[in-house]
Amino acid sequence: MIDLLKAVVLGIIQGLTEFLPISSSAHLRIFPELFGWGDPGAAFTAVIQIGTELAVLIYFRKDIWRIANAWVRALFQPEWRGTLDARMGWFIIIGSLPIVVLGVLLKDVIERDFRNLWIIGTMLIVMGIVLGIADRTSRADRPIGKITLRDAVLMGAAQALALIPGVSRSGATISMGRLLGFEREAATRYAFLLAIPAVVGAGLFELKEIPHGHNDFGWGPTITATVVSFVVGYAAIAWLLRYVSTKSYTPFVVYRVLLGAGTLALLGAGVLTA
C-alpha cells in the first residue's frame, strides 16, 4: 500500500512536469530524495513516461493520423511527397534519431552518472537561462508550416540533450525552436510530437528492467503511476497550449533557476545526497 501511494504521488509529478519545460526526470529524482524515498530508478522513470505520451497520442490523435496517413501515401504516391504532413513525418523520424542513438549508446552512463543531483541542479539552472534567452530574443514569426529539414535536425539534436536529467525534453526542443524563430505554440506543439517516438521507445526498452530489481517498484506501483501520469498529463497538455498562446515562458525559467539553486544548496548543506 505504501508503494502504491508513492506511485500515485510520482505519477502526479510526472504528469504535471512532463510537458512543462521544467524536466520531469529531474523532479522524479529530486522530490523522492526530499521525501526520503530514494531514487526510483531510470527504468521506473522511463516506463511511467509512457502514460504521458499516451496522453499526447490521444490529444493529438487527429494530427498524428493526418501525418502518418500522408507519410505512408507519400511512399507510393509522388504527388503526396511535397505536402507538409508527409514532410512532417520524415522530420519527426529524422529528429528522433539523435536521442535514440545516444540513448542506446550511453544507456549505462544515463542510468548511473547523469542521475547525480549536482548535475541535475546545474542543468536546471543552465537550461532555464537558455530557455529565457531563447524566448526573449526570438523573432517569433514562423508558424509550424515553415519547418525545414535543417530545423528538424537542430531540434532533434536539442531534444537529445534531455538524456541528461534536468535539461527537459520539451524545454530543450522549445528553446531551439524559439531560437529558430518559431512561434511559442508552434515550437511547443512540435516538441510534443517529436517526443513520441523517443519516449515510447525508451519506455518499452526499459520494461524488461521492472521485474528484475533494477528499480524500487514492481509492476503494480509502476502501472499505477503510469495511469495517474496519463490522466494528469492530458490536462497539462491542454493547459500549456492555451497558456503559451498568449504568455511567455518566464515563470518556468524562474522556477527552474530556483529549483536548481535550491537543490544545489541542499546538497551543499548535506540535506540531500547526490
Side-chain angles (χ1 to χ4, degrees), residues 42-67:
F44 176 85
T45 301
V47 171
I48 70 169
Q49 286 177 340
I50 293 178
T52 42
E53 286 313 301
L54 180 58
V56 172
L57 290 172
I58 294 177
Y59 191 91
F60 292 106
R61 60 191 180 279
K62 293 181 180 178
D63 301 75
I64 294 169
W65 170 254
R66 194 181 63 249
I67 291 169

mmCIF file of all heavy atoms in Angstrom, residues 42-67:
data_model
loop_
_atom_site.group_PDB
_atom_site.id
_atom_site.type_symbol
_atom_site.label_atom_id
_atom_site.label_comp_id
_atom_site.label_asym_id
_atom_site.label_seq_id
_atom_site.Cartn_x
_atom_site.Cartn_y
_atom_site.Cartn_z
ATOM 1 N N ALA A 42 15.943 4.699 -13.149
ATOM 2 C CA ALA A 42 15.744 5.150 -14.527
ATOM 3 C C ALA A 42 14.678 4.336 -15.231
ATOM 4 O O ALA A 42 13.935 4.851 -16.068
ATOM 5 C CB ALA A 42 17.066 5.068 -15.296
ATOM 6 N N ALA A 43 14.578 3.039 -14.908
ATOM 7 C CA ALA A 43 13.576 2.188 -15.555
ATOM 8 C C ALA A 43 12.169 2.637 -15.201
ATOM 9 O O ALA A 43 11.308 2.789 -16.065
ATOM 10 C CB ALA A 43 13.789 0.725 -15.155
ATOM 11 N N PHE A 44 11.916 2.871 -13.922
ATOM 12 C CA PHE A 44 10.609 3.351 -13.466
ATOM 13 C C PHE A 44 10.274 4.678 -14.140
ATOM 14 O O PHE A 44 9.158 4.874 -14.640
ATOM 15 C CB PHE A 44 10.628 3.515 -11.948
ATOM 16 C CG PHE A 44 9.360 4.101 -11.375
ATOM 17 C CD1 PHE A 44 8.274 3.281 -11.080
ATOM 18 C CD2 PHE A 44 9.255 5.463 -11.128
ATOM 19 C CE1 PHE A 44 7.100 3.820 -10.548
ATOM 20 C CE2 PHE A 44 8.094 6.009 -10.598
ATOM 21 C CZ PHE A 44 7.012 5.177 -10.312
ATOM 22 N N THR A 45 11.252 5.585 -14.176
ATOM 23 C CA THR A 45 11.045 6.894 -14.786
ATOM 24 C C THR A 45 10.673 6.771 -16.249
ATOM 25 O O THR A 45 9.741 7.427 -16.734
ATOM 26 C CB THR A 45 12.315 7.760 -14.640
ATOM 27 O OG1 THR A 45 12.630 7.905 -13.249
ATOM 28 C CG2 THR A 45 12.114 9.133 -15.258
ATOM 29 N N ALA A 46 11.394 5.920 -16.985
ATOM 30 C CA ALA A 46 11.148 5.768 -18.416
ATOM 31 C C ALA A 46 9.791 5.131 -18.683
ATOM 32 O O ALA A 46 9.068 5.539 -19.602
ATOM 33 C CB ALA A 46 12.254 4.922 -19.048
ATOM 34 N N VAL A 47 9.426 4.138 -17.887
ATOM 35 C CA VAL A 47 8.173 3.415 -18.140
ATOM 36 C C VAL A 47 6.956 4.289 -17.863
ATOM 37 O O VAL A 47 5.998 4.295 -18.647
ATOM 38 C CB VAL A 47 8.112 2.114 -17.309
ATOM 39 C CG1 VAL A 47 6.727 1.482 -17.411
ATOM 40 C CG2 VAL A 47 9.168 1.122 -17.795
ATOM 41 N N ILE A 48 6.951 5.046 -16.757
ATOM 42 C CA ILE A 48 5.750 5.837 -16.460
ATOM 43 C C ILE A 48 5.596 6.998 -17.438
ATOM 44 O O ILE A 48 4.506 7.573 -17.555
ATOM 45 C CB ILE A 48 5.721 6.345 -15.001
ATOM 46 C CG1 ILE A 48 6.768 7.423 -14.729
ATOM 47 C CG2 ILE A 48 5.865 5.204 -14.030
ATOM 48 C CD1 ILE A 48 6.574 8.105 -13.386
ATOM 49 N N GLN A 49 6.656 7.335 -18.171
ATOM 50 C CA GLN A 49 6.528 8.361 -19.207
ATOM 51 C C GLN A 49 5.657 7.883 -20.360
ATOM 52 O O GLN A 49 5.148 8.699 -21.133
ATOM 53 C CB GLN A 49 7.914 8.762 -19.721
ATOM 54 C CG GLN A 49 8.691 9.616 -18.735
ATOM 55 C CD GLN A 49 10.091 9.959 -19.220
ATOM 56 O OE1 GLN A 49 10.630 9.298 -20.102
ATOM 57 N NE2 GLN A 49 10.673 10.992 -18.651
ATOM 58 N N ILE A 50 5.467 6.567 -20.465
ATOM 59 C CA ILE A 50 4.552 6.047 -21.486
ATOM 60 C C ILE A 50 3.148 6.579 -21.234
ATOM 61 O O ILE A 50 2.389 6.848 -22.168
ATOM 62 C CB ILE A 50 4.556 4.503 -21.485
ATOM 63 C CG1 ILE A 50 5.922 3.975 -21.942
ATOM 64 C CG2 ILE A 50 3.452 3.958 -22.391
ATOM 65 C CD1 ILE A 50 6.022 2.460 -21.918
ATOM 66 N N GLY A 51 2.781 6.747 -19.963
ATOM 67 C CA GLY A 51 1.464 7.277 -19.633
ATOM 68 C C GLY A 51 1.256 8.670 -20.184
ATOM 69 O O GLY A 51 0.211 8.970 -20.793
ATOM 70 N N THR A 52 2.250 9.531 -20.005
ATOM 71 C CA THR A 52 2.102 10.890 -20.507
ATOM 72 C C THR A 52 2.151 10.926 -22.033
ATOM 73 O O THR A 52 1.490 11.752 -22.663
ATOM 74 C CB THR A 52 3.194 11.806 -19.914
ATOM 75 O OG1 THR A 52 4.454 11.137 -19.907
ATOM 76 C CG2 THR A 52 2.853 12.204 -18.497
ATOM 77 N N GLU A 53 2.930 10.028 -22.639
ATOM 78 C CA GLU A 53 2.961 10.003 -24.107
ATOM 79 C C GLU A 53 1.664 9.452 -24.673
ATOM 80 O O GLU A 53 1.255 9.824 -25.782
ATOM 81 C CB GLU A 53 4.153 9.181 -24.605
ATOM 82 C CG GLU A 53 5.477 9.887 -24.453
ATOM 83 C CD GLU A 53 5.442 11.333 -24.941
ATOM 84 O OE1 GLU A 53 5.134 11.557 -26.139
ATOM 85 O OE2 GLU A 53 5.693 12.242 -24.128
ATOM 86 N N LEU A 54 0.988 8.570 -23.929
ATOM 87 C CA LEU A 54 -0.330 8.123 -24.356
ATOM 88 C C LEU A 54 -1.293 9.304 -24.376
ATOM 89 O O LEU A 54 -2.158 9.410 -25.252
ATOM 90 C CB LEU A 54 -0.854 7.030 -23.420
ATOM 91 C CG LEU A 54 -2.244 6.446 -23.744
ATOM 92 C CD1 LEU A 54 -2.256 5.855 -25.145
ATOM 93 C CD2 LEU A 54 -2.640 5.394 -22.711
ATOM 94 N N ALA A 55 -1.115 10.217 -23.421
ATOM 95 C CA ALA A 55 -1.928 11.433 -23.405
ATOM 96 C C ALA A 55 -1.676 12.260 -24.666
ATOM 97 O O ALA A 55 -2.610 12.822 -25.259
ATOM 98 C CB ALA A 55 -1.602 12.261 -22.155
ATOM 99 N N VAL A 56 -0.409 12.325 -25.100
ATOM 100 C CA VAL A 56 -0.065 13.039 -26.335
ATOM 101 C C VAL A 56 -0.737 12.376 -27.535
ATOM 102 O O VAL A 56 -1.302 13.039 -28.409
ATOM 103 C CB VAL A 56 1.459 13.081 -26.545
ATOM 104 C CG1 VAL A 56 1.794 13.656 -27.921
ATOM 105 C CG2 VAL A 56 2.130 13.914 -25.478
ATOM 106 N N LEU A 57 -0.663 11.035 -27.580
ATOM 107 C CA LEU A 57 -1.240 10.302 -28.705
ATOM 108 C C LEU A 57 -2.737 10.565 -28.826
ATOM 109 O O LEU A 57 -3.262 10.711 -29.934
ATOM 110 C CB LEU A 57 -0.989 8.798 -28.541
ATOM 111 C CG LEU A 57 0.460 8.335 -28.701
ATOM 112 C CD1 LEU A 57 0.595 6.860 -28.320
ATOM 113 C CD2 LEU A 57 0.948 8.558 -30.120
ATOM 114 N N ILE A 58 -3.423 10.622 -27.698
ATOM 115 C CA ILE A 58 -4.872 10.846 -27.724
ATOM 116 C C ILE A 58 -5.189 12.318 -28.008
ATOM 117 O O ILE A 58 -6.052 12.631 -28.831
ATOM 118 C CB ILE A 58 -5.511 10.399 -26.399
ATOM 119 C CG1 ILE A 58 -5.377 8.874 -26.249
ATOM 120 C CG2 ILE A 58 -6.971 10.816 -26.332
ATOM 121 C CD1 ILE A 58 -5.901 8.328 -24.943
ATOM 122 N N TYR A 59 -4.462 13.220 -27.365
ATOM 123 C CA TYR A 59 -4.738 14.648 -27.544
ATOM 124 C C TYR A 59 -4.471 15.083 -28.989
ATOM 125 O O TYR A 59 -5.238 15.863 -29.566
ATOM 126 C CB TYR A 59 -3.880 15.475 -26.585
ATOM 127 C CG TYR A 59 -4.298 16.925 -26.525
ATOM 128 C CD1 TYR A 59 -5.224 17.358 -25.582
ATOM 129 C CD2 TYR A 59 -3.780 17.867 -27.411
ATOM 130 C CE1 TYR A 59 -5.623 18.684 -25.528
ATOM 131 C CE2 TYR A 59 -4.170 19.192 -27.370
ATOM 132 C CZ TYR A 59 -5.092 19.591 -26.431
ATOM 133 O OH TYR A 59 -5.496 20.908 -26.387
ATOM 134 N N PHE A 60 -3.386 14.586 -29.567
ATOM 135 C CA PHE A 60 -3.012 14.961 -30.931
ATOM 136 C C PHE A 60 -3.372 13.881 -31.953
ATOM 137 O O PHE A 60 -2.743 13.792 -33.004
ATOM 138 C CB PHE A 60 -1.508 15.247 -31.005
ATOM 139 C CG PHE A 60 -1.076 16.467 -30.264
ATOM 140 C CD1 PHE A 60 -0.392 16.355 -29.064
ATOM 141 C CD2 PHE A 60 -1.357 17.738 -30.743
ATOM 142 C CE1 PHE A 60 0.019 17.482 -28.370
ATOM 143 C CE2 PHE A 60 -0.955 18.870 -30.058
ATOM 144 C CZ PHE A 60 -0.263 18.745 -28.863
ATOM 145 N N ARG A 61 -4.377 13.062 -31.638
ATOM 146 C CA ARG A 61 -4.693 11.913 -32.497
ATOM 147 C C ARG A 61 -5.013 12.326 -33.939
ATOM 148 O O ARG A 61 -4.611 11.624 -34.887
ATOM 149 C CB ARG A 61 -5.852 11.124 -31.901
ATOM 150 C CG ARG A 61 -7.152 11.889 -31.742
ATOM 151 C CD ARG A 61 -8.159 11.113 -30.911
ATOM 152 N NE ARG A 61 -9.429 11.827 -30.749
ATOM 153 C CZ ARG A 61 -9.613 12.784 -29.849
ATOM 154 N NH1 ARG A 61 -8.617 13.140 -29.048
ATOM 155 N NH2 ARG A 61 -10.793 13.382 -29.748
ATOM 156 N N LYS A 62 -5.699 13.443 -34.117
ATOM 157 C CA LYS A 62 -6.031 13.885 -35.472
ATOM 158 C C LYS A 62 -4.773 14.309 -36.227
ATOM 159 O O LYS A 62 -4.601 13.977 -37.404
ATOM 160 C CB LYS A 62 -7.043 15.025 -35.423
ATOM 161 C CG LYS A 62 -8.410 14.610 -34.894
ATOM 162 C CD LYS A 62 -9.379 15.778 -34.883
ATOM 163 C CE LYS A 62 -10.748 15.344 -34.354
ATOM 164 N NZ LYS A 62 -11.708 16.478 -34.299
ATOM 165 N N ASP A 63 -3.895 15.048 -35.559
ATOM 166 C CA ASP A 63 -2.640 15.471 -36.193
ATOM 167 C C ASP A 63 -1.780 14.260 -36.534
ATOM 168 O O ASP A 63 -1.203 14.179 -37.624
ATOM 169 C CB ASP A 63 -1.856 16.393 -35.252
ATOM 170 C CG ASP A 63 -2.630 17.628 -34.862
ATOM 171 O OD1 ASP A 63 -3.558 17.513 -34.029
ATOM 172 O OD2 ASP A 63 -2.314 18.704 -35.377
ATOM 173 N N ILE A 64 -1.684 13.318 -35.583
ATOM 174 C CA ILE A 64 -0.846 12.133 -35.785
ATOM 175 C C ILE A 64 -1.385 11.288 -36.934
ATOM 176 O O ILE A 64 -0.610 10.815 -37.787
ATOM 177 C CB ILE A 64 -0.774 11.313 -34.489
ATOM 178 C CG1 ILE A 64 -0.033 12.112 -33.401
ATOM 179 C CG2 ILE A 64 -0.075 9.974 -34.724
ATOM 180 C CD1 ILE A 64 -0.139 11.522 -32.016
ATOM 181 N N TRP A 65 -2.696 11.089 -36.969
ATOM 182 C CA TRP A 65 -3.291 10.305 -38.046
ATOM 183 C C TRP A 65 -3.059 10.978 -39.401
ATOM 184 O O TRP A 65 -2.719 10.310 -40.390
ATOM 185 C CB TRP A 65 -4.783 10.107 -37.812
ATOM 186 C CG TRP A 65 -5.489 9.510 -39.002
ATOM 187 C CD1 TRP A 65 -6.321 10.122 -39.883
ATOM 188 C CD2 TRP A 65 -5.369 8.156 -39.458
ATOM 189 N NE1 TRP A 65 -6.731 9.263 -40.851
ATOM 190 C CE2 TRP A 65 -6.165 8.036 -40.615
ATOM 191 C CE3 TRP A 65 -4.662 7.047 -38.995
ATOM 192 C CZ2 TRP A 65 -6.279 6.839 -41.324
ATOM 193 C CZ3 TRP A 65 -4.779 5.853 -39.697
ATOM 194 C CH2 TRP A 65 -5.576 5.766 -40.848
ATOM 195 N N ARG A 66 -3.230 12.295 -39.451
ATOM 196 C CA ARG A 66 -3.040 13.023 -40.704
ATOM 197 C C ARG A 66 -1.599 12.929 -41.187
ATOM 198 O O ARG A 66 -1.334 12.682 -42.379
ATOM 199 C CB ARG A 66 -3.436 14.487 -40.495
ATOM 200 C CG ARG A 66 -3.597 15.280 -41.781
ATOM 201 C CD ARG A 66 -3.975 16.719 -41.508
ATOM 202 N NE ARG A 66 -2.922 17.411 -40.778
ATOM 203 C CZ ARG A 66 -3.040 17.809 -39.515
ATOM 204 N NH1 ARG A 66 -4.145 17.566 -38.827
ATOM 205 N NH2 ARG A 66 -2.047 18.446 -38.930
ATOM 206 N N ILE A 67 -0.638 13.076 -40.244
ATOM 207 C CA ILE A 67 0.776 12.999 -40.599
ATOM 208 C C ILE A 67 1.150 11.580 -41.039
ATOM 209 O O ILE A 67 1.820 11.382 -42.058
ATOM 210 C CB ILE A 67 1.654 13.436 -39.404
ATOM 211 C CG1 ILE A 67 1.475 14.941 -39.154
ATOM 212 C CG2 ILE A 67 3.117 13.104 -39.647
ATOM 213 C CD1 ILE A 67 2.092 15.417 -37.848
#
